[in-house]
Amino acid sequence: MYYVVKYTGKFGFIKPWTAVRDGLTYSQQFLSPSTLEGIEKKLFPETLSQNGVISKIKRYRLSYSSIDVQQEQTQTRGFNGKKKIREKAVLNRGIMIDPILYLAFEDYGEALKASTQHVCLCRNEDILLPDSMIKEMDESSFNSIKGFEMRFGKSKQSFMVGYNRFDNTPMYGWLEIDGQSIL
């Protein structure tokens, strides 16, 4: 049995691990292991010492209503030696509009604690606020939620989803999609 907290927001961007400074990048449509771990550590600071471990969030689903390409101005890392200024660039980002994130917990107390806090998908401005109601769901009900979910681990359907920053080992997973990419 899961206790599920629903989070909603106006927009969100999850930077793909393969994107560095690409001119056009679309938001990743799923949470990587490190992103989900970061959300868990924000909700439960007592887990900060557990590197590379996701222990409280058992499952998630992420959906959105559309993708909108927006421009973002950035500055380069280094200075231009002649002009003593940092060069600027304009990047196009495919941002998720109206993202919905469902987090599933096995413990009601953990779900209750999570339901009183906001989360961010990746950037601090991508705030998702909790719905005040916690839903109790069995696994088949949770599986029927529309959206994307990265299941972590190595299997025949797995692909590499990034590197663990603590020990520099590859991370693997596979996508579960309900057949609809948007709401």
Side-chain angles (χ1 to χ4, degrees), residues 60-174:
Y60 78 89
R61 282 290 163 110
L62 177 64
S63 64
Y64 55 92
S65 62
S66 64
I67 297 266
D68 183 55
V69 177
Q70 300 175 354
Q71 290 187 335
E72 178 179 322
Q73 185 176 356
T74 64
Q75 291 184 327
T76 60
R77 207 164 92 168
F79 283 93
N80 178 325
K82 298 174 188 169
K83 300 179 188 174
K84 303 286 186 210
I85 58 166
R86 289 174 65 181
E87 299 291 335
K88 295 180 181 174
V90 174
L91 306 175
N92 293 305
R93 301 275 188 232
I95 307 295
M96 290 184 287
I97 303 299
D98 299 322
I100 300 172
L101 175 65
Y102 295 89
L103 296 181
F105 302 90
E106 288 180 341
D107 181 77
Y108 180 79
E110 292 170 351
L112 185 60
K113 184 176 181 180
S115 73
T116 63
Q117 303 177 64
H118 74 279
V119 297
C120 300
L121 291 176
C122 277
R123 305 178 305 176
N124 289 339
E125 62 265 28
D126 297 342
I127 295 174
L128 301 182
L129 299 173
D131 188 323
S132 59
M133 192 168 86
I134 297 170
K135 292 184 181 173
E136 194 172 315
M137 295 182 170
D138 60 17
E139 187 155 9
S140 65
S141 297
F142 188 82
N143 288 340
S144 70
I145 296 173
K146 304 282 185 218
F148 296 86
E149 180 177 10
M150 168 65 67
R151 301 295 298 267
F152 308 128
K154 214 166 182 189
S155 69
K156 289 182 181 181
Q157 67 262 38
S158 293
F159 56 93
M160 193 166 77
V161 296
Y163 284 94
N164 183 319
R165 67 180 179 179
F166 299 108
D167 59 11
N168 203 33
T169 57
M171 296 181 294
Y172 294 90
W174 67 95

Side-chain angles (χ1 to χ4, degrees), residues 1-38:
M1 190 57 62
Y2 294 130
Y3 300 98
V4 180
V5 180
K6 177 182 176 182
Y7 293 87
T8 58
K10 292 293 176 194
F11 58 89
F13 179 75
I14 303 170
K15 184 177 180 180
W17 72 278
T18 56
V20 181
R21 290 279 179 199
D22 298 335
L24 174 62
T25 304
Y26 286 94
S27 177
Q28 192 166 268
Q29 298 171 339
F30 57 88
L31 302 179
S32 66
S34 57
T35 302
L36 192 63
E37 182 183 349

